[in-house]
Amino acid sequence: MMATMTPAAAKETSGGNPKHTETNGGTDAKGASVVVNAIAVLKTFSAEEPLLGVTEIANRVGMHKSTVSRMLATLEQENLVERDPETRRFRLGLGLIAVAGPLLAEMDERRVAYPVLRRLTEQTGETSALMLWNGDEAICVEQIAGQHQIKHTTPLGARYRDALSASVQVFLSSLPAERVRELLRSGTISFPGMDDAGLAAYQERLHQVAARGWAENYGETSMDEVGVAAPAYDHRGDVAAVVLIPAPRFRVSRERLEDLGEACVAAAAQVTTRLGGRAGT
């Protein structure tokens, strides 16, 4: 992963004179850079890599280990990160829930979708989740775990940028073709081995997703998992969120996949209605 040079890292490596007279503007800039660096540290954690050591974090944000260590100590005091007792590596802390709680509580999509997701999980026995799009990735903001002992889950905050992910397919199918090509060609959305022919085939696939009303991922991103996803719309007819059902592949035949797809579409339609939305045009 390419390291991102943060403001503090740039200062540390710039060779600038640290003895300059500090004005109020300089103090403000320093405070802002500390905040930016702290955010960069927090963003290094992901659902795929929830535990990270100081050296790993320092390499990714382009800061000295001692700087990162001090910053983590401060974040730990505020419960924004916590240290694993066995590995001594860091993970995100429960204090972040307190920070994000008011935002989550006010998210209309999350609030109105919750009872729909509960019914969907009761109906199918599988995990159901609500995904939002932040411009270049799908993010899970709500989940109801499945009833089976063996199940696939989508952790809150999990981010997906794989072109074959069911939720990503749905979001991309609602975007202009040029924007889709930009995301794929830049590598922002992962699509290994993409060439002109592959891009054309993928865009045709997105047309089919839009026409059918739901997308599938039958072991394409993980051989052990399948996923189906369908869009929920806002009052403008734009895709506001996506309802997702992830499930173990061994339990889902092709026929069962169709049933899950139809259940997902019905649930997404209920979320659309509860949002006061209408199907896209």
Side-chain angles (χ1 to χ4, degrees), residues 198-212:
L199 177 58
Y202 182 73
Q203 290 193 298
E204 176 58 30
R205 177 172 180 166
L206 295 183
H207 288 315
Q208 294 173 4
V209 167
R212 183 172 62 170

Side-chain angles (χ1 to χ4, degrees), residues 10-232:
K11 180 177 179 181
E12 288 171 349
T13 58
S14 64
N17 182 4
K19 296 182 180 180
H20 66 279
T21 300
E22 195 171 70
T23 63
N24 287 338
T27 301
D28 291 343
K30 181 179 179 180
S33 69
V34 170
V35 173
V36 170
N37 291 330
I39 292 172
V41 167
L42 292 174
K43 283 186 172 181
T44 60
F45 298 93
S46 67
E48 293 76 22
E49 295 181 287
L51 285 171
L52 294 172
V54 174
T55 300
E56 293 172 292
I57 297 172
N59 289 338
R60 295 184 185 191
V61 299
M63 295 163 56
H64 291 317
K65 288 174 56 179
S66 59
T67 302
V68 171
S69 182
R70 290 194 299 272
M71 190 169 295
L72 287 169
T74 300
L75 294 172
E76 187 175 16
Q77 290 177 359
E78 298 299 324
N79 296 317
L80 299 181
V81 299
E82 59 187 35
R83 197 187 301 265
D84 182 81
E86 295 183 1
T87 66
R88 307 303 294 168
R89 301 167 84 195
F90 288 90
R91 62 162 61 92
L92 294 178
L94 295 179
L96 284 171
I97 296 178
V99 175
L103 171 63
L104 293 176
E106 290 301 317
M107 290 174 62
D108 287 341
E109 294 90 347
R110 183 175 184 266
R111 186 177 68 250
V112 304
Y114 184 79
V116 177
L117 296 181
R118 286 191 64 89
R119 289 193 295 270
L120 182 60
T121 292
E122 292 171 358
Q123 173 190 351
T124 65
E126 305 294 350
T127 296
S128 61
L130 187 74
M131 313 294 294
L132 297 184
W133 184 251
N134 78 343
D136 55 17
E137 61 187 357
I139 302 176
C140 178
V141 297
E142 187 59 274
Q143 176 196 245
I144 305 296
Q147 302 165 351
H148 298 281
Q149 183 174 3
I150 299 176
K151 56 189 170 238
H152 277 293
T153 58
T154 301
L156 294 183
R159 303 179 179 198
Y160 297 91
R161 289 186 172 186
D162 194 306
L164 298 178
S165 166
S167 60
V168 172
Q169 289 180 58
V170 174
F171 283 120
L172 292 184
S173 71
S174 70
L175 298 180
E178 184 54 41
R179 175 57 177 162
V180 173
R181 288 193 292 270
E182 177 186 339
L183 290 170
L184 292 172
R185 286 173 172 160
S186 67
T188 302
I189 298 297
S190 175
F191 190 12
M194 185 190 70
D195 53 20
D196 289 342
L199 177 58
Y202 182 73
Q203 290 193 298
E204 176 58 30
R205 177 172 180 166
L206 295 183
H207 288 315
Q208 294 173 4
V209 167
R212 183 172 62 170
W214 60 279
E216 68 175 70
N217 169 16
Y218 198 74
E220 293 173 283
T221 58
S222 172
M223 63 181 299
D224 298 323
E225 184 178 6
V226 302
V228 297

Side-chain angles (χ1 to χ4, degrees), residues 258-280:
E258 292 287 333
D259 292 339
L260 290 178
E262 292 175 4
C264 198
V265 168
Q270 293 176 42
V271 174
T272 296
T273 298
R274 291 173 64 85
L275 284 171
R278 58 184 177 85

Side-chain angles (χ1 to χ4, degrees), residues 239-257:
V239 175
V242 162
V243 175
L244 170 70
I245 302 176
R249 185 175 178 181
F250 76 86
R251 198 161 54 230
V252 182
S253 64
R254 276 289 177 181
E255 293 74 18
R256 172 66 171 157
L257 190 74

